[in-house]
Amino acid sequence: MDVLERIDQQVKQHPVVIYMKGTPQFPQCGFSMRAAAALQECGVPFDYVNILDDQEILQNLPRYADWPTFPQIYIDGELVGGCDITVELHQKGELKALMEAACAKAAP
């Protein structure tokens, strides 16, 4: 499977997914740490992909949604943005609602 197809499958399969350096428990950069913390504070389950463990994704994810930086957060199959946008949405109280709606939509 082509790497862009793999990314597309991950984005569509998971209601909320963050592509980050490291893991939510052990982030490997400050931007990933802040974005993952914002997601965690919402109390809504989310998935993650450690881009440092998959060089193909690391090299090709910027092409997927034409977004050059990491982390990248996708909710309901759409790119929300990176760290700054995610943290801002959380501070405004909007992130949790987006995550809950995506999870509810994906529930069987």
Side-chain angles (χ1 to χ4, degrees):
M1 179 183 305
D2 174 77
V3 66
L4 293 177
E5 290 172 351
R6 220 168 17 111
I7 293 167
D8 190 57
Q9 185 178 48
Q10 292 169 341
V11 165
K12 291 177 179 171
Q13 180 181 3
H14 303 291
V16 181
V17 62
I18 178 174
Y19 289 86
M20 63 182 291
K21 293 179 180 176
T23 69
Q25 296 76 24
F26 299 104
Q28 298 295 307
C29 84
F31 296 112
S32 290
M33 178 186 67
R34 290 195 302 277
L39 292 172
Q40 289 173 318
E41 288 173 16
C42 290
V44 178
F46 65 93
D47 291 279
Y48 71 90
V49 175
N50 180 353
I51 60 171
L52 299 176
D53 284 346
D54 191 325
Q55 289 298 307
E56 276 192 320
I57 289 180
L58 174 65
Q59 293 170 4
N60 290 284
L61 186 62
R63 292 178 34 222
Y64 178 72
D66 197 25
W67 190 268
T69 60
F70 304 105
Q72 292 186 20
I73 294 86
Y74 292 82
I75 298 178
D76 196 20
E78 298 292 326
L79 175 66
V80 171
C83 175
D84 292 344
I85 294 169
T86 303
V87 169
E88 182 180 326
L89 286 171
H90 178 54
Q91 290 171 342
K92 290 180 176 179
E94 297 173 9
L95 183 62
K96 182 176 182 176
L98 289 172
M99 293 174 70
E100 288 175 338
C103 289
K105 184 177 175 182

